[in-house]
Amino acid sequence: TARLTDFFLLQPAVLAMYLFLRSANLYAAAIATAFAYPLIYVTSGAWMAGHRDIVAMHALIGSATIFLAYRGDARLKLFSSGLVVGYAVMIRPTYLAFAPVLLIACFFDSRMPSFKRAFTMTITLGIGVLVFPTIFLVAGFMTGTFDAWLAATQFVFDVYAVPLSRTRLFFRFF
C-alpha cells in the first residue's frame, strides 16, 4: 500500500508539471511529461519511491507552478505558493530554503517593487508558509505529543552535534 499511496501522491505533481510546461507554451513537453514521468518514477524502485525528499520536492514543483502559472491576484498566488512550501517543510524541513528563492523570484517578477509592496509580498508568503507548521504545532499541543516531538528533535541535536563552527560550511561551496 505504500507504493500505491506514493503513486497517488505523485498525481498532483504530474498535474503541476503539466500545467507548468503548458503555461510556458511547451504543449508537447507537457504531454510527454504527463505520460513519461509517472512511468520513470514508478520504475525507479526503492531509491526514489516514497522517499520524503522526492515527495516534498513534488510539493515544491507544485508551489513553483502556482507561482509561475497563476495569472490572478499576486497576494493569493504568493499565499498559495507559501502554503504548499509550508506543507513541503513539514515533510522535509530543509526545504524551507525554497521560500526565500520564491520571494526573490517574486521581486524579479514585479520589477523593483516599492518597500510597502515588498513588505506585503514577504508577509503574505510568510503567512502561507506558516499555516501548516502552525496546524501541526496546535495539533501537537492538543494531543499532548509536542513534548515527545521536542525530545526527539533534541536527541538529534545532541547525538549529531559537531564541535566545529558552522561557518566552515560556507567555504565548501566555493
Side-chain angles (χ1 to χ4, degrees):
T1 60
R3 298 284 300 236
L4 184 61
T5 303
D6 186 47
F7 185 73
F8 284 133
L9 288 174
L10 172 69
Q11 300 317 304
V14 171
L15 177 64
M17 290 179 217
Y18 174 81
L19 293 173
F20 178 77
L21 292 168
R22 195 183 75 182
S23 72
N25 295 325
L26 299 170
Y27 299 109
I31 292 170
T33 300
F35 285 112
Y37 188 77
L39 295 173
I40 293 167
Y41 182 79
V42 169
T43 59
S44 295
W47 284 105
M48 289 205 27
H51 283 257
R52 67 185 183 138
D53 296 352
I54 304 301
V55 172
M57 183 55 68
H58 288 149
L60 294 184
I61 291 169
S63 176
T65 300
I66 292 168
F67 178 76
L68 294 172
Y70 182 70
R71 301 287 179 225
D73 183 32
R75 290 175 301 209
L76 180 61
K77 175 171 77 169
L78 272 173
F79 177 79
S80 301
S81 293
L83 191 69
V84 179
V85 169
Y87 176 76
V89 166
M90 295 312 298
I91 298 171
R92 178 80 173 151
T94 55
Y95 286 170
L96 183 60
F98 187 73
V101 172
L102 197 60
L103 189 62
I104 290 169
C106 185
F107 290 154
F108 282 114
D109 188 40
S110 63
R111 291 167 189 68
M112 297 304 287
S114 66
F115 177 77
K116 181 181 177 185
R117 181 161 163 73
F119 183 75
T120 303
M121 291 188 306
T122 304
I123 295 299
T124 305
L125 179 66
I127 290 171
V129 169
L130 289 174
V131 167
F132 276 106
T134 303
I135 291 171
F136 276 66
L137 185 67
V138 169
F141 280 122
M142 290 176 64
T143 60
T145 57
F146 181 74
D147 291 335
W149 175 83
L150 202 57
T153 305
Q154 187 60 43
F155 172 79
V156 171
F157 284 119
D158 291 344
V159 170
Y160 297 107
V162 178
L164 302 172
S165 169
R166 304 284 190 262
T167 57
R168 79 189 186 321
L169 299 174
F170 178 75
F171 297 105
R172 290 192 175 192
F173 289 108
F174 304 104

